[in-house]
Amino acid sequence: MYSLTFLSAQQLVKDEEATCKILESLPRVIYKILFNVAFKDNRTKLLYELVKTWPYSKLKFQMLLQTCWCCSRTSSKKCTKCQWTLTHDKLNKNKINTIFLGVRSYIKKVITEGSQQPPDRRLQQLDMTGLFCNAFLEDLSGMDLWTSLISQSQVYISYEGTGDSQSQTRDQVAETSPSPMEAHVDLLMDLYINPISKDFLAPILQGNANSSLRLICRDLYVFYLFDSTALNLLPLLEPLALRRIDLLYTNITSIDIRWFMSQITTFHNLQSLKLPSFTKDEHWWENPELKAKFDVFVIGLNKLKNLKEIALDDTCLSGQVEYLLGDLQCSLESLQLSFCSLTNKDLTYLAQSHYSTHLIKLDLTGNNIPEQLNSFLKLLKSVSTSLMWLNVTTCKIKDTDFYQIIPYLYSCTKLSYLCLFGNPLSSISILTFLGQCHQKLCNMKAISIPIFLDCCPSVTQYETLPMDLENEMDKKKFFAVMNKMCQLPALMGDSAIQYNFSHAFDIDDYFDLQKVV
């Protein structure tokens, strides 16, 4: 049943012109629902006026679009009308542009007329975080759109503040008196830096000091940069706002680690740090120069009091995990040590660490689990009360190993996502696990499974699996197995377990998992 407020909002947007005229007389509780309906119904004029007169201190774009406004507050699920995903097409880009124009108009009005509104009824932050996905990153026009809109808005607002847009140059604008604090709006975004975007992001961030519209970064992602130039943006970021730094898909072997950690430690609210390999030396601890480099890193890491997630990729940590993480002052909830050559000593330390009972996400991709099987089982037992997401992709787990692992997986009662992709497992072992999965793991939502070895008759050696097993697969046998899997009583409430054949899930981000804890 639709709520009366939602039905009222639907009627209001039908007469856009009339609604725009009476907006300021409407109760502010209806603004958020009106925004949702106006955006989805492409009512750009109403969107513009809503933003211009927004009666709250924050406008959280994603939350406004994803909240179910249709049903009563007692409804536990979104209705089908609210199960809606933002696409990055021309129509939606135009609507986002309209939102920016509304902010610009709001700032102009405050600069020229002043504001009598109390802080809780005055727009101070436009939250546009969470609008990008990995697939969209391949299209640079997305980031280009944002930076173009922000840059234009900064220049426009600066000119408006001078009162003479025809006679002022941009350099002259910077020397004028600052606009009143009431006119300042922070634009909170996730920034994706690549070889192209790094060049036009720097001027925008530098312009924050002289603009009423400031670009504030929540999560920073750096992609496909093979030098340290993008890291020069770190001093330009707001220290208290940055939540994540993700450098997994770049190269940091040449950076000045002392300077880098001095920058990282200024971000006091940093919760997530993801780093690629510092060095390709498999015995770096025996090299005094490399060891000193890691010492600086560890000292800096221990200063991050709010850190909840650490990801290290392709760095040999054999016997060094305790040295790396042993003095952390925080309780980690997400840990990725992929392709790190972990040993029994490392997994034993993790099992005994003070944060093991807090881990909700654990990624051990690319480590040799069978060689450390007992330690791995101890680790599973230690994390069993909290673990929601486990990735053991390409960990060389065979049927004999998996049969020992199954009871420990069953003990992880909150486990919702399990990635077994790339392991030499047979359909029999997977079906055995799934047989009681619906009883033992009631929260299971998705399992990433390997191409079963018994469906690949030409593959005989576990240690040298082909990169693409699909070419070796007996499709008829494989689909027969999949049929069996789909017939298993694996229903969880109203939805079945999803199976895929990759290392990715719809939900694999720590912060997304944290929301459902």
Side-chain angles (χ1 to χ4, degrees), residues 192-195 198 220-232 234 245-255 260 273-280 311-315:
Y192 295 81
I193 302 177
N194 50 47
K198 69 180 177 68
L220 178 70
Y221 301 85
V222 181
F223 290 87
Y224 311 122
L225 286 170
F226 301 102
D227 56 38
S228 59
T229 54
L231 300 181
N232 294 331
L234 289 176
I245 296 176
D246 185 343
L247 307 178
L248 280 178
Y249 298 99
T250 189
N251 189 326
I252 62 171
T253 55
S254 62
I255 66 168
F260 177 67
L273 181 61
K274 298 186 173 188
L275 299 175
S277 177
F278 278 48
T279 175
K280 297 300 181 184
L312 295 175
D313 180 63
D314 199 23
T315 297

Side-chain angles (χ1 to χ4, degrees), residues 360-364 376 380 387-392 409 415 417-420 505:
I360 63 175
K361 180 179 179 182
L362 179 62
D363 190 337
L364 299 177
F376 176 66
L380 283 182
L387 193 66
M388 298 175 61
W389 194 100
L390 175 64
N391 190 350
V392 285
L409 289 176
L415 192 62
Y417 301 89
L418 174 63
C419 192
L420 299 169
F505 293 121

Side-chain angles (χ1 to χ4, degrees), residues 52-332:
K52 182 181 173 182
T53 58
W54 195 250
Y56 297 93
S57 61
K58 295 182 180 181
L59 193 162
K60 297 185 177 184
F61 181 75
Q62 280 284 74
M63 188 198 76
L64 291 174
L65 292 188
Q66 293 178 354
T67 300
C68 179
W69 302 106
C70 299
C71 310
S72 66
R73 291 178 180 269
T74 58
S75 177
S76 61
K77 291 190 175 183
K78 287 185 180 180
C79 66
T80 54
K81 196 175 185 71
C82 288
Q83 291 174 351
W84 182 85
T85 303
L86 178 71
T87 57
H88 298 273
D89 53 33
K90 185 176 180 180
L91 182 60
N92 282 329
K93 287 177 181 178
N94 287 338
K95 288 185 284 187
I96 290 171
N97 188 32
T98 298
I99 294 171
F100 273 81
L101 292 174
V103 172
R104 276 169 35 172
S105 182
Y106 163 80
I107 293 174
K108 176 187 174 183
K109 182 180 178 182
V110 174
I111 290 174
T112 56
E113 302 176 15
S115 174
Q116 305 303 318
Q117 296 288 355
D120 66 329
R121 289 175 175 261
R122 187 174 68 238
L123 183 61
Q124 299 177 47
Q125 183 189 86
L126 174 61
D127 185 344
M128 303 295 280
T129 56
L131 298 186
F132 288 89
C133 62
N134 290 335
F136 186 63
L137 289 176
E138 298 174 8
D139 178 10
L140 294 179
S141 64
M143 205 66 210
D144 188 33
L145 166 73
W146 289 114
T147 51
S148 175
L149 287 172
I150 300 162
S151 182
Q152 291 170 19
S153 297
Q154 286 184 340
V155 174
Y156 173 86
I157 292 164
S158 296
Y159 279 139
E160 287 295 335
T162 67
D164 185 2
S165 61
Q166 299 299 318
S167 61
Q168 296 287 336
T169 66
R170 186 171 183 175
D171 290 338
Q172 288 172 326
V173 168
E175 296 172 2
T176 61
S177 58
S179 54
M181 283 301 298
E182 293 85 356
H184 284 203
V185 177
D186 289 341
L187 173 58
L188 188 65
M189 283 184 58
D190 300 327
L191 296 184
Y192 295 81
I193 302 177
N194 50 47
I196 296 177
S197 65
K198 69 180 177 68
D199 293 327
F200 48 74
L201 275 173
I204 293 172
L205 290 167
Q206 290 165 349
N208 277 345
N210 303 309
S211 175
S212 295
L213 182 63
R214 299 194 310 153
L215 176 59
I216 306 296
C217 178
R218 181 190 69 166
D219 294 348
L220 178 70
Y221 301 85
V222 181
F223 290 87
Y224 311 122
L225 286 170
F226 301 102
D227 56 38
S228 59
T229 54
L231 300 181
N232 294 331
L233 296 177
L234 289 176
L236 302 176
L237 303 180
E238 176 62 36
L240 296 180
L242 196 65
R243 182 182 73 166
R244 165 178 284 163
I245 296 176
D246 185 343
L247 307 178
L248 280 178
Y249 298 99
T250 189
N251 189 326
I252 62 171
T253 55
S254 62
I255 66 168
D256 180 345
I257 192 66
R258 196 173 297 278
W259 174 85
F260 177 67
M261 292 310 296
S262 72
Q263 296 300 314
I264 294 295
T265 52
T266 63
F267 302 114
H268 300 298
N269 292 324
L270 190 70
Q271 296 182 51
S272 173
L273 181 61
K274 298 186 173 188
L275 299 175
S277 177
F278 278 48
T279 175
K280 297 300 181 184
D281 191 326
E282 292 187 1
H283 300 282
W284 51 265
W285 52 88
E286 296 175 357
N287 182 320
E289 185 177 343
L290 291 176
K291 177 62 165 57
K293 191 175 181 179
F294 271 84
D295 286 343
V296 171
F297 173 67
V298 170
I299 291 171
L301 206 60
N302 293 336
K303 293 179 181 179
L304 300 173
K305 308 298 184 185
N306 293 305
L307 204 60
K308 296 293 184 182
E309 177 177 50
I310 293 177
L312 295 175
D313 180 63
D314 199 23
T315 297
C316 183
L317 293 177
S318 297
Q320 303 299 316
V321 171
E322 183 174 5
Y323 152 75
L324 193 68
L325 306 178
D327 292 326
L328 286 179
Q329 302 300 304
C330 50
S331 294
L332 289 180

